[in-house]
Amino acid sequence: MRVSVNWLREYVDLPTDLSTGDLEQALVDLGIEVDAVTDLRESVTGSLVVGEVVEIEELTGFKKPIRFCRVDVGAANGTGEPQEIVCGARNFAPGDRVVVILPGGVLPGDFAIGARKTYGRNSHGMICSAKELGLGDDHDGIIVLPADTAAKPGDDARPVVGLDEVVLELEVTPDRGYALSVRGLARELSLALGVPFHDPGLAAAPGATAEPAYPVVVRDTVGCDRFAARLVRGVDPTAPTPGWMQRRLTVAGIRSISLPVDITNYVMLELGQPMHAFDVDRITGPLVVRRAEPGEKLTTLDGVSRVLTAEDMVICDAGLPSPVAGDGGTPISLAAVMGGETSEVIASTTDVLFEAAHWDPAMVGRTARRHKLFSEAAKRWERGVDPALPLVAIDRAVRLLTEHGGGTAGAELLDLDHVAARTPVVLPADLPSRRVGVDYPTERVVTILEQIGCAVTRGTDRLAEDPGDAGVPAGGADVLTVLPPTWRPDLTDPADLVEEVVRLDGYDRVPSVLPTAPPGRGLTWPQRRRRSVARSLAEQGYVEVLSQPFVGPQLADQLGLGADDPRRPAVRLANPLSEQEPQLRTTLLGPLLDAVRRNLGRGQRDLALYEIGLVFHPRTGAGAPPAMGVDRRPTDEEFAAADAVVPAQPQHVAVVLTGDVEPVGWWGAGRPAGWADAVEAGRIVLAAAEIPADRIEVRAAEHAPWHPGRCAELLVDGTVVGYAGELHPAVLAGLELPRRTCAMELDLDALPTAAAVAAPTVSGFPPALIDVAVVLDDQVPAAKVEQALIEGAGELLESARLFDVYASEQLGAGRRSLAYKLTFRAPDRTLTVEEAVAARDAAVARAATLYGATLR
């Protein structure tokens, strides 16, 4: 909002020596953001004078209309001769007085003015618009001064157009709609500076009469709880808007249109009450205020035809029956937002009906956003307008119109008042002190609340229990019953009143004390495990993704989950973000595979992704949670009943690989990802979780959505904790993923807590390395063969690692060779060849006994 300081001085006695810096600081202390404080006297330098247009020559042959003007600027140009100026505006004629800046002047934005040749003529200066002078955004035409302007050609134009003002540009927060008016800002400054305030909103105004000014029916008293109107007849349609009013509107960024319309805008800025002016001669019947019918149309003042919805409020002309609404009439105004073309004040208007109403803020806000029509009126309505203002605003508008435009005000005055009485707020007098930590005596609290317009009644009360911020400590204390003023709809509970006390007493009195951080024990064991797993996968080249936990009901079928699979039942959200994904995931693979498909669609072919997150399993037969209010803390039994309904949420880790894990290059051929890489990812996770290798088992399994012949289950202490391998071809085809895509998913919460492990003994003696290859049935898992070798080798075996798998016709059908690298080492001596060979033979013997293995 833009407003001049001189306008504020009409209602608040600001000190004459108040500097702009002190004024800005006072507003900031009140919580009002100041975008700029501009001294307009310094915004334009050089000769800015009043000029009178003597002659206009229309230039042709150009893409746009150009005019060559001769303008009388008196003696300001040093010669007294008319100034020659080229101008493209069309809204002025010979005899009009305009604002001219002569060569050598500088406009806002460091725009220097000089003499130059343009469009084939010499132009010496510029005829200015409001935007060029920094007075507003209107650039449609130049400023044409009112005919009654006393300034003569050559006089300084700054006082004439308001460039002798100090202008405040403020950003008002949504909860302080009252500050979008001169009345509201003046009241705030009076409180901040301790100076008298003269409230124009409390001016005496005539009340409603038995005969209405115009027949009006309000069918929705929720959307419109007050509607006032008064008629003025015989207005001079040629009466200009007074210069002082034009200047104030221009400073505020509002374009002057006509006297009746300018008056409604002026009263809105002054009092904060948006109004509308109707041309009575263009209305054929009574006015009806109602909700719009779906599909109704209205052409607003901006020339846009708008399709209305049932939530919009409209003012209708009942004399024009609507094919949709019948006797509800045809809409002629989008209530509280913008008027319609069919009833607007035009150049021939002589009878004006002023309307001032009170509309539901929520309705106005939704209407403005739905139609993308953020008018100055809508901005104020959605923030809250004083419901006590309509009669005062109408009286102010009528007096201004009859004073400057003639006409006779009708004695009839309509006022349909359905405004509900405000509810008092009960405030413990010590609540501000308890909440803020500053001592606010009761007398100080009462004084501040009365200063902002509240009616305060003191008393003493005792509450049986403390229901939160509104409670009073046991033993009784002063209690204030506070009735907020009509212009403060934001004051609805004790916390709002506490905020006002702090704001007006001064935020600088509130100490800036940081709370002491409570002692902690650092990360929990599950947190450390999760971070260790994430770090280990990242070090192996996997990239983490964070996907949404929402999935569609078709995912279970896409993954080929069986009817009895515990992952098929899913929790359905009551209010899903998307109707296509209304369920919570029971496996990480669904969203993770979506991420793979999305990356493939963007040209990424080699992917290794991982995710750590929660999955959700519904509790069978849990029922609905108990209803819990907000008036008290739930009991332990209610908490337990609610927890019993909450789905189980174990934490899983999953990886997906597709493409090459080793890229192709000049160094040789690459290697595509395979099921063994997925199994290795599971081993990496278990190692990061500090699960010893001797407690881990990997064996073949069949588990959807993995390929039945290329799936492994991961076990810890004999308990299955996850699966890894190549995904089923049917699943990959259905999800449009590449063949041989592999995945692993593991339940982190199913892993046992890591026990304390003694540090391994490091031997300083050399190892004995022996490779051994055994031939056996190809159905025997390699992991079991490895375990047999470990058991047979005894304590001298340090490690065993599979490094080759070989099958051929020479070995026989159903037979294969497994080659292991065995490392032997003693902690206290160097092993002899005989000792190492004996240990190897013992290892092979154990494998032979258990699985029929023979040394190759």
Side-chain angles (χ1 to χ4, degrees):
M1 177 180 177
R2 286 166 55 94
V3 64
S4 69
V5 175
N6 285 344
W7 197 357
L8 289 170
R9 288 184 184 276
E10 292 186 6
Y11 301 112
V12 60
D13 298 341
L14 298 177
T16 56
D17 58 347
L18 181 65
S19 67
T20 57
D22 292 340
L23 178 61
E24 179 179 1
Q25 188 59 49
L27 291 168
V28 171
D29 290 344
L30 290 168
I32 299 175
E33 182 179 347
V34 180
D35 285 344
V37 179
T38 306
D39 189 344
L40 298 181
R41 292 167 294 189
E42 302 174 356
S43 62
V44 178
T45 60
S47 297
L48 187 72
V49 298
V50 175
E52 183 174 321
V53 181
V54 177
E55 181 183 352
I56 298 177
E57 178 186 351
E58 302 289 344
L59 303 182
T60 59
F62 301 101
K63 293 182 179 180
K64 61 180 181 179
I66 299 297
R67 312 172 96 185
F68 180 64
C69 310
R70 291 179 176 85
V71 184
D72 179 12
V73 294
N77 58 2
T79 65
E81 296 295 324
Q83 197 82 355
E84 296 180 343
I85 301 175
V86 174
C87 182
R90 310 286 299 173
N91 66 320
F92 64 98
D96 286 343
R97 293 193 175 180
V98 295
V99 179
V100 178
I101 184 167
L102 299 178
V106 180
L107 292 173
D110 291 332
F111 185 64
I113 304 299
R116 64 193 181 97
K117 188 171 184 177
T118 180
Y119 296 101
R121 301 298 178 93
N122 291 321
S123 181
H124 302 272
M126 177 188 287
I127 304 175
C128 301
S129 69
K131 186 173 183 179
E132 290 160 345
L133 294 176
L135 295 174
D137 295 328
D138 186 13
H139 200 260
D140 295 336
I142 54 91
I143 296 176
V144 178
L145 300 176
D148 60 353
T149 301
K152 61 183 183 297
D155 287 352
D156 187 4
R158 289 174 177 82
V160 180
V161 296
L163 282 176
D164 59 342
E165 299 265 16
V166 175
V167 176
L168 302 174
E169 191 166 347
L170 310 174
E171 188 68 34
V172 178
T173 55
D175 62 331
R176 303 194 184 279
Y178 64 92
L180 287 172
S181 66
V182 175
R183 177 199 185 200
L185 290 173
R187 180 187 293 107
E188 292 287 279
L189 287 172
S190 74
L191 298 177
L193 301 174
V195 293
F197 165 61
H198 317 288
D199 190 351
L202 300 181
T209 58
E211 291 294 327
Y214 196 88
V216 178
V217 176
V218 177
R219 293 187 176 178
D220 188 337
T221 57
V222 175
C224 176
D225 55 13
R226 190 168 190 182
F227 193 97
R230 192 174 183 185
L231 183 61
V232 180
R233 296 187 180 274
V235 176
D236 180 5
T238 64
T241 301
W244 58 268
M245 185 181 294
Q246 283 194 38
R247 289 193 294 273
R248 287 181 172 177
L249 291 175
T250 300
V251 167
I254 296 178
R255 180 169 58 93
S256 177
I257 299 175
S258 64
L259 179 59
V261 176
D262 290 350
I263 287 174
T264 61
N265 287 329
Y266 182 82
V267 173
M268 176 183 69
L269 294 174
E270 183 179 61
L271 298 178
Q273 171 69 53
M275 299 181 62
H276 189 66
F278 293 96
D279 184 339
V280 176
D281 294 333
R282 304 181 71 190
I283 304 174
T284 60
L287 297 180
V288 176
V289 181
R290 61 174 175 83
R291 298 278 179 173
E293 295 292 337
E296 282 189 297
K297 293 184 178 181
L298 169 67
T299 301
T300 47
L301 291 175
D302 56 358
V304 178
S305 178
R306 304 183 184 276
V307 179
L308 308 178
T309 69
E311 196 175 10
D312 297 327
M313 289 286 291
V314 288
I315 301 175
C316 303
D317 183 353
L320 301 173
S322 168
V324 178
D327 62 352
T330 298
I332 59 174
S333 176
L334 187 57
V337 179
M338 184 174 286
E341 284 186 340
T342 59
S343 61
E344 67 175 318
V345 172
I346 57 178
S348 60
T349 298
T350 57
D351 297 338
V352 178
L353 179 68
F354 282 120
E355 165 261 309
H358 186 260
W359 308 93
D360 176 34
M363 177 274 297
V364 177
R366 287 191 288 265
T367 296
R369 283 162 177 77
R370 185 181 305 110
H371 296 285
K372 296 180 175 61
L373 192 57
F374 299 98
S375 63
E376 290 295 326
K379 291 177 184 177
R380 286 161 174 80
W381 279 120
E382 69 174 348
R383 287 166 169 80
V385 173
D386 185 356
L389 280 179
L391 295 184
V392 176
I394 281 186
D395 185 62
R396 175 70 164 145
V398 167
R399 284 189 287 108
L400 287 171
L401 184 58
T402 55
E403 178 182 350
H404 298 286
T408 304
E412 300 84 5
L413 180 60
L414 172 74
D415 183 20
L416 304 177
D417 189 355
H418 301 279
V419 178
R422 296 209 62 179
T423 303
V425 180
V426 177
L427 174 72
D430 64 342
L431 183 60
S433 300
R434 287 191 281 127
R435 289 291 171 263
V436 182
V438 176
D439 183 25
Y440 297 108
T442 301
E443 290 73 17
R444 177 60 174 160
V445 173
V446 172
T447 299
I448 290 176
L449 294 179
E450 289 178 341
Q451 284 178 339
I452 64 174
C454 296
V456 183
T457 303
R458 295 181 61 172
T460 303
D461 196 6
R462 178 191 297 269
L463 298 184
E465 66 178 57
D466 184 357
D469 279 354
V472 179
D478 283 342
V479 172
L480 307 179
T481 302
V482 182
L483 183 64
T486 55
W487 58 83
R488 293 299 302 272
D490 57 309
L491 304 181
T492 59
D493 55 57
D496 298 326
L497 301 178
V498 170
E499 181 183 358
E500 289 300 295
V501 172
V502 178
R503 185 174 70 92
L504 295 179
D505 189 71
Y507 290 121
D508 55 337
R509 288 197 60 212
V510 180
S512 299
V513 179
L514 292 175
T516 302
R521 299 180 179 178
L523 298 176
T524 63
W525 162 244
Q527 289 173 326
R528 291 198 300 272
R529 169 178 280 178
R530 183 188 184 283
R531 294 191 181 189
S532 179
V533 168
R535 183 169 55 252
S536 297
L537 289 173
E539 289 171 351
Q540 295 298 318
Y542 290 87
V543 177
E544 184 176 17
V545 298
L546 299 174
S547 56
Q548 296 283 359
F550 313 119
V551 297
Q554 73 281 359
L555 178 63
D557 292 331
Q558 291 175 335
L559 295 181
L561 305 183
D564 58 346
D565 195 305
R567 294 169 295 170
R568 178 171 282 275
V571 177
R572 183 179 178 86
L573 297 171
N575 54 343
L577 295 179
S578 169
E579 288 299 332
Q580 285 69 43
E581 296 180 333
Q583 296 179 349
L584 291 175
R585 65 191 178 192
T586 58
T587 170
L588 296 182
L589 291 181
L592 195 55
L593 292 173
D594 281 342
V596 171
R597 184 169 60 248
R598 190 160 46 250
N599 279 273
L600 289 170
R602 284 158 176 75
Q604 302 295 328
R605 292 293 178 264
D606 305 323
L607 298 170
L609 306 182
Y610 82 94
E611 180 172 10
I612 301 176
L614 300 179
V615 297
F616 305 84
H617 298 292
R619 300 184 189 275
T620 305
M628 292 184 284
V630 296
D631 56 333
R632 58 175 176 80
R633 184 185 186 280
T635 64
D636 293 340
E637 291 74 15
E638 289 173 329
F639 267 127
D643 285 340
V645 180
V646 175
Q649 302 173 50
Q651 190 167 71
H652 283 205
V653 58
V655 306
V656 176
L657 303 100
T658 188
D660 292 340
V661 292
E662 295 178 4
V664 178
W666 57 266
W667 51 83
R671 183 177 67 82
W675 62 267
D677 295 292
V679 174
E680 182 61 22
R683 292 184 179 275
I684 291 171
V685 169
L686 295 175
E690 300 183 18
I691 305 299
D694 58 355
R695 298 171 62 184
I696 301 171
E697 183 180 355
V698 179
R699 66 189 183 194
E702 292 187 13
H703 191 72
W706 282 272
H707 191 299
R710 296 168 185 167
C711 173
E713 59 185 7
L714 305 171
L715 301 91
V716 174
D717 296 336
T719 301
V720 177
V721 296
Y723 295 87
E726 182 181 312
L727 294 176
H728 197 288
V731 172
L732 297 177
L735 295 175
E736 299 179 355
L737 293 173
R739 296 172 62 245
R740 305 295 188 186
T741 297
C742 302
M744 181 277 298
E745 184 169 12
L746 188 146
D747 185 353
L748 287 177
D749 286 354
L751 300 181
T753 302
V757 179
T761 301
V762 178
S763 173
F765 295 91
L769 305 178
I770 301 179
D771 294 344
V772 60
V774 293
V775 179
L776 71 171
D777 193 288
D778 61 5
Q779 297 302 310
V780 179
K784 291 187 176 181
V785 177
E786 181 179 322
Q787 185 62 35
L789 293 173
I790 293 173
E791 293 174 359
E795 296 181 354
L796 293 179
L797 181 66
E798 187 175 85
S799 66
R801 181 174 64 85
L802 177 68
F803 70 88
D804 185 48
V805 178
Y806 174 72
S808 70
E809 295 180 358
Q810 296 176 348
L811 295 179
R815 305 280 289 174
R816 65 176 176 176
S817 170
L818 302 177
Y820 293 85
K821 184 177 293 294
L822 305 181
T823 301
F824 298 95
R825 192 194 316 253
D828 55 351
R829 68 189 187 280
T830 299
L831 290 177
T832 65
V833 174
E834 291 75 12
E835 289 177 311
V837 171
R840 180 205 64 182
D841 292 342
V844 174
R846 178 62 175 170
T849 301
L850 293 179
Y851 306 113
T854 59
L855 189 63
R856 182 182 170 195

